[in-house]
Amino acid sequence: MPVRTTDDQADYLSGLNPEQRKAVLTTEGPLLVLAGAGTGKTRVLTTRLAHILHNRLAWPSQILAVTFTNKAAREMRERVGQTMGGAIEGLPWLGTFHSIAAKILRIHAELVGLKSSFTILDTDDQIRLLKQVIEAAGIDSKRWTARYMASLIDGWKNKGLTPDRLGADDGFTFADGKGVEIYKTYQDRLKVLNAVDFGDLLLHNITIFQKNPDVLKGFHDRFRYLLVDEYQDTNVAQYLWLRLLAQGSNNVCCVGDDDQSIYGWRGAEVDNILRFEQDFPGATVIRLERNYRSTEHILGAASGLIAANKDRLGKTLWTEDDGGHKVTVTGVWDGPAEARIISGEIENWASKGRSYSDVAILVRASRQMRNFEERFIQLGLPYRVVGGPRFFERAEIRDAHAYMRVLNSDTDDLAFERIVNVPKRGIGATSVRKLQQAARTMHISLEQATRQIVKTDEIRGKARSSLRAFLLDIDRWRRESQDAKHTDMAERILDQSGYTQMWRDNKDAKSQGRLDNLKELISAMGEFDTLEAYMEHVSLVLDVDSGPQDAEVSLMTLHSAKGLEFPLVFLPGWEEGTFPSQRALDESGLAGLEEERRLAYVGITRARELAKIYFAANRQVYGSWQSSLPSRFIDELPIQHVEVESEANQYNPSLIADRVQEDFGRSFKRAQDAGRSSPGWERYQKNRDRDFGRQPKEIEGHAVRRPAKGKASNYSVGERVFHTKFGYGEIMSADGTKLTVEFDKAGEKMVLDGFVQRASEV
């Protein structure tokens, strides 16, 4: 047993601020360290671990230290070694939740009907097994996909739910009430195969602990100290697992930040950290609020924004780095203007001797990256996409391009081969090899060989009928493309081929992003007159050397940016519906809004020196132009930490941009100079729809055609008009150039009079 002494004057404690020092030295009893962004969380965690070892409060094997990633675990081990002046031997229980759970399960596998040699299935194996179970149950596996069932099971396991703990209603999410039955059969099959999936690791641990008190007591006796990193990101199963293990010594230290809980979409429960004091009575709570990363204005803006959240424990970041640059808020005309202006800012930054690697652009959704990528390529500005491939290199974009290439040419073998079985048509690798062999033998293209081989018996059954149907589709699309607009044709092909539906049926967390990217692709195509012109553009974009650079601008989503920091951070796309995401609001209501606000907080606090926010007056959303309102988060930024900039001299503002420029921009700036609140912004705020679950009514139309400001409409109430998107309708009311029209098919819409024609003139 280690000798329990404490050295509170050790060298490794020097340089810690009072709160950090207290967090390290408070070793007994439950402790919650609320570590704000940039407050030295990792240093506290590793120094605390080193302090326990240095003072021999526990042997390395008596410490359970849990992280979320293997990278974080390696970093912690290395930093503990550096703190103690050498490599650390032992620490066998330092790792991720799942790696530690797997180790425990190997020891006690027989208690859940497994052997210690069990196999951990990857996603592909899990999908294959589930498909077998679904088909054996007589369920249509095309309608009720194995991937969808896998996502349901993963969600249940993240909540710590075994089949016997599910309610009757849970089963109706799959195959009209058969979900629970499939889950149970799947779990039984796993045991027969002596296998587990990723979610089972924690779930089986929980079952073992709950049903075998002696086993749980053994781990209570083993672990004297428990340390958990990023506690705000734990899901229910991780929470239950930790609670069970922490009932022993009660010396549990959880480090996290409720204001940075941004992974609710993958099961994280911010309530876990919010109720820590209830779960562990007598717990000590230490707030790390001194920030070592950002300037006073950046922290002030972020703190003022996050204060609007109600479900938080509360803390206020501060720094000794007074002043600095204020957070700028800039209104721009549209997405391309936003990319152009930000590119200019980056080039200006580089011209002053600063590095491109100091710069990050953080977007809410990956579809926002395209405008920046194309602008950077045009300028030769080096960049990298963090956390994923570049837009035109994404799998779904390459698949869509392959369909377009086949439409254009019957000799594009690479494109034909890529999509012949995407989505799956029952044309396997063997059939494709036969097609390739025939093409080589006859010295013709793959498509031409397919047209020959389907007339023979070389390929039979479903593969042959699928190939015939695919060729009929191609022929039809080529005929229709002679008269149809290329963007309409692209949408038609993706829908009729089943490609879009394939991603709708795929319940992976990234699937919705892929669908959004496909819609952004249609928008990109709309910028070119023909499909040929667009494909030539893509070829040129992909031909640009994208090899590694010494210094590159980082382009990433806000979720990917957590834990990173940059001197200069750009935050584009702060508009209602984009950020906060309308989907998040629709699906999760107020909880979704608060998570979106935490995401905004994370974005601002990535900046060390400069944070620049942008919103566009117009966005081309999935092929159509829409006017947009600035994000409500802009409203919530404290006025004393924000400076409003304008690009009004570069474009003619839209109706909404006018209002924002005049009411928000000028009045806000005047009030800012006078040190008082902004009446213009208050007026804008009153007029704005503040219901978090509703989207502002859209004003349809393309910016370039907008009538001049102040111009009276030439149309009268009662006139019949025609709109290229909504068809024929009757004007119900007119407010300047804004018309409210009751369209025959589309219903009531608000449009600009520059986008309609009198029905008699059509």
Side-chain angles (χ1 to χ4, degrees):
M1 176 67 63
V3 179
R4 297 173 66 81
T5 61
T6 299
D7 178 6
D8 59 0
Q9 301 299 322
D11 291 342
Y12 55 77
L13 296 173
S14 63
L16 297 178
N17 66 40
E19 292 75 26
Q20 291 174 331
R21 187 183 181 91
K22 183 179 179 182
V24 169
L25 297 178
T26 305
T27 57
E28 306 307 305
L31 172 66
L32 174 63
V33 180
L34 280 178
T39 58
K41 168 189 69 100
T42 304
R43 183 179 184 184
V44 167
L45 201 57
T46 54
T47 306
R48 178 184 173 86
L49 207 163
H51 177 72
I52 291 171
L53 294 172
H54 175 78
N55 289 280
R56 298 187 179 181
L57 302 180
W59 300 120
S61 61
Q62 293 177 309
I63 299 173
L64 174 64
V66 187
T67 66
F68 266 83
T69 65
N70 290 314
K71 178 182 177 183
R74 287 194 301 270
E75 181 181 353
M76 186 181 294
R77 190 183 300 275
E78 292 168 1
R79 292 183 65 163
V80 170
Q82 293 168 3
T83 301
M84 298 192 67
I88 293 294
E89 298 295 332
L91 290 175
W93 299 99
L94 189 161
T96 65
F97 276 98
H98 290 93
S99 66
I100 293 172
K103 185 179 294 187
I104 292 173
L105 187 56
R106 294 282 181 199
I107 299 171
H108 298 289
E110 73 284 354
L111 295 178
V112 286
L114 297 169
K115 299 176 183 177
S116 60
S117 59
F118 62 80
T119 300
I120 302 175
L121 299 186
D122 60 22
T123 302
D124 288 342
D125 288 336
Q126 181 188 16
I127 298 297
R128 278 201 296 272
L129 178 57
L130 270 171
K131 187 175 181 181
Q132 293 173 13
V133 171
I134 290 168
E135 291 178 346
I139 297 171
D140 184 355
S141 61
K142 291 184 178 178
R143 181 183 177 192
W144 301 101
T145 65
R147 193 172 296 276
Y148 177 41
M149 189 66 214
S151 72
L152 291 176
I153 290 175
D154 185 56
W156 289 329
K157 290 183 177 181
N158 283 342
K159 294 177 181 177
L161 297 174
T162 51
D164 57 297
R165 291 178 177 170
L166 288 175
D169 292 342
D170 292 314
F172 281 92
T173 54
F174 187 85
D176 302 321
K178 297 183 178 179
V180 177
E181 176 189 337
I182 295 297
Y183 183 16
K184 184 179 185 305
T185 305
Y186 168 70
Q187 291 299 102
D188 292 342
R189 283 291 297 154
L190 285 173
K191 287 185 179 179
V192 170
L193 297 173
N194 192 37
V196 297
D197 61 26
F198 206 55
D200 279 328
L201 297 174
L202 283 164
L203 192 65
H204 285 326
N205 271 213
I206 293 169
T207 300
I208 290 169
F209 294 157
Q210 290 176 335
K211 294 185 176 181
N212 301 274
D214 56 325
V215 173
L216 181 59
K217 186 178 184 306
F219 284 104
H220 287 167
D221 295 339
R222 179 191 300 264
F223 298 132
R224 300 193 62 82
Y225 293 96
L226 292 82
L227 292 83
V228 183
D229 192 13
E230 303 286 10
Y231 188 57
Q232 78 282 349
D233 292 334
T234 53
N235 59 35
V236 173
Q238 291 162 339
Y239 164 80
L240 293 172
W241 181 83
L242 180 66
R243 279 289 309 278
L244 288 165
L245 288 172
Q247 290 169 1
S249 69
N250 210 34
N251 293 331
V252 55
C253 171
C254 293
V255 181
D257 183 3
D258 53 323
D259 291 335
Q260 295 189 71
S261 179
I262 59 174
Y263 298 117
W265 50 276
R266 66 184 189 195
E269 292 279 351
V270 69
D271 284 347
N272 292 350
I273 193 170
L274 295 178
R275 63 169 177 251
F276 185 87
E277 292 178 90
Q278 299 174 30
D279 292 337
F280 300 97
T284 300
V285 178
I286 298 174
R287 288 170 168 80
L288 303 185
E289 299 176 308
R290 181 179 175 182
N291 179 279
Y292 294 92
R293 175 190 300 159
S294 307
T295 64
E296 177 186 19
H297 285 306
I298 291 172
L299 296 181
S303 296
L305 172 66
I306 199 63
N309 270 7
K310 291 182 172 56
D311 288 335
R312 62 188 297 261
L313 296 171
K315 61 184 172 305
T316 302
L317 299 183
W318 63 276
T319 179
E320 291 185 345
D321 186 6
D322 295 338
H325 296 278
K326 293 186 177 184
V327 174
T328 63
V329 177
T330 305
V332 299
W333 174 231
D334 58 12
E338 184 179 61
R340 184 182 67 250
I341 293 162
I342 289 177
S343 298
E345 291 261 19
I346 294 172
E347 290 186 311
N348 184 51
W349 173 270
S351 70
K352 295 177 180 177
R354 303 298 297 266
S355 174
Y356 287 121
S357 59
D358 290 342
V359 182
I361 300 174
L362 311 182
V363 298
R364 176 60 183 86
S366 60
R367 61 180 170 79
Q368 295 173 252
M369 294 182 184
R370 181 184 63 85
N371 280 326
F372 293 103
E373 290 194 52
E374 293 197 343
R375 182 67 180 174
F376 292 167
I377 290 169
Q378 180 183 354
L379 297 175
L381 196 153
Y383 76 98
R384 66 189 181 113
V385 175
V386 178
R390 299 181 178 212
F391 182 83
F392 290 112
E393 294 170 355
R394 296 176 184 273
E396 64 274 16
I397 302 302
R398 287 192 177 274
D399 288 343
H401 285 167
Y403 272 101
M404 301 305 111
R405 286 162 53 188
V406 167
L407 187 70
N408 265 1
S409 171
D410 67 353
T411 59
D412 193 331
D413 284 5
L414 294 176
F416 186 87
E417 183 178 348
R418 184 180 182 98
I419 61 171
V420 69
N421 199 39
V422 179
K424 293 188 182 299
R425 301 181 174 92
I427 304 168
T430 301
S431 297
V432 173
R433 281 196 295 271
K434 289 180 179 178
L435 295 176
Q436 292 170 333
Q437 182 180 356
R440 286 194 299 269
T441 302
M442 293 185 283
H443 303 289
I444 55 178
S445 72
L446 206 55
E447 180 186 329
Q448 293 163 348
T450 304
R451 293 185 183 279
Q452 297 298 321
I453 207 169
V454 294
K455 299 174 183 177
T456 70
D457 292 327
E458 296 289 338
I459 297 177
R460 298 184 180 184
K462 182 178 180 180
R464 180 165 66 176
S465 60
S466 295
L467 284 170
R468 284 174 174 169
F470 184 49
L471 291 173
L472 289 173
D473 284 341
I474 291 174
D475 291 339
R476 185 180 70 257
W477 294 331
R478 284 176 181 160
R479 288 194 305 270
E480 294 174 354
S481 68
Q482 301 301 313
D483 301 316
K485 188 178 178 182
H486 62 291
T487 51
D488 294 339
M489 209 56 233
E491 288 186 273
R492 192 178 306 172
I493 291 172
L494 293 175
D495 286 342
Q496 293 179 0
S497 66
Y499 189 80
T500 302
Q501 191 61 44
M502 178 186 77
W503 289 118
R504 289 196 188 110
D505 293 339
N506 186 318
K507 300 303 179 180
D508 182 89
K510 296 181 180 179
S511 296
Q512 186 57 53
R514 295 183 188 275
L515 289 168
D516 289 343
N517 289 337
L518 290 172
K519 293 174 181 176
E520 179 63 21
L521 170 67
I522 303 301
S523 296
M525 294 177 65
E527 297 173 10
F528 297 84
D529 293 333
T530 64
L531 176 60
E532 291 77 9
Y534 168 74
M535 295 306 297
E536 181 178 341
H537 166 75
V538 171
S539 298
L540 294 173
V541 166
L542 294 175
D543 189 50
V544 173
D545 180 15
S546 58
Q549 305 282 335
D550 292 335
E552 299 171 314
V553 173
S554 294
L555 181 58
M556 69 187 85
T557 64
L558 285 158
H559 284 100
S560 298
K562 187 168 178 289
L564 304 178
E565 59 182 72
F566 303 87
L568 172 58
V569 170
F570 293 98
L571 299 161
W574 280 43
E575 300 115 30
E576 285 295 306
T578 298
F579 193 39
S581 161
Q582 190 63 40
R583 185 180 299 115
L585 302 185
D586 292 342
E587 293 177 355
S588 304
L590 184 57
L593 174 61
E594 294 215 340
E595 180 158 319
E596 290 289 292
R597 189 177 285 113
R598 292 194 291 268
L599 196 55
Y601 171 84
V602 166
I604 294 174
T605 55
R606 298 312 93 194
R608 294 208 300 261
E609 301 173 29
L610 293 164
K612 293 177 173 288
I613 295 169
Y614 293 81
F615 66 88
N618 303 276
R619 286 281 178 191
Q620 190 174 20
V621 182
Y622 308 147
S624 64
W625 284 93
Q626 298 177 3
S627 295
S628 53
L629 284 170
S631 169
R632 68 192 71 191
F633 298 152
I634 294 176
D635 177 3
E636 296 164 356
L637 296 171
I639 193 170
Q640 64 270 28
H641 297 296
V642 176
E643 182 176 5
V644 177
E645 296 185 350
S646 171
E647 298 296 332
N649 59 331
Q650 298 189 25
Y651 56 81
N652 296 318
S654 69
L655 293 173
I656 292 175
D658 279 342
R659 186 170 66 196
V660 173
Q661 284 299 142
E662 294 170 4
D663 284 356
F664 177 44
R666 299 193 186 101
S667 183
F668 190 359
K669 189 66 172 68
R670 287 196 302 270
Q672 193 176 20
D673 294 338
R676 55 184 172 80
S677 63
S678 164
W681 184 241
E682 290 173 359
R683 182 164 66 256
Y684 164 72
Q685 187 178 2
K686 289 178 182 178
N687 292 336
R688 181 170 160 190
D689 180 3
R690 301 298 294 168
D691 180 356
F692 65 82
R694 291 165 56 194
Q695 195 170 21
K697 182 171 285 189
E698 298 168 357
I699 300 176
E700 299 289 342
H702 193 291
V704 175
R705 299 177 57 190
R706 182 206 177 249
K709 179 185 173 184
K711 176 183 175 182
S713 176
N714 293 321
Y715 295 89
S716 304
V717 174
E719 277 193 276
R720 292 281 293 174
V721 293
F722 175 79
H723 188 283
T724 55
K725 180 176 181 180
F726 301 124
Y728 290 95
E730 181 179 334
I731 298 174
M732 307 305 292
S733 65
D735 180 9
T737 58
K738 292 183 292 183
L739 305 176
T740 300
V741 181
E742 181 69 33
F743 289 100
D744 298 346
K745 294 183 178 180
E748 184 178 300
K749 299 287 183 181
M750 184 180 291
V751 299
L752 300 177
D753 65 2
F755 300 92
V756 298
Q757 295 174 267
R758 288 183 172 83
S760 60
E761 297 174 357
V762 177

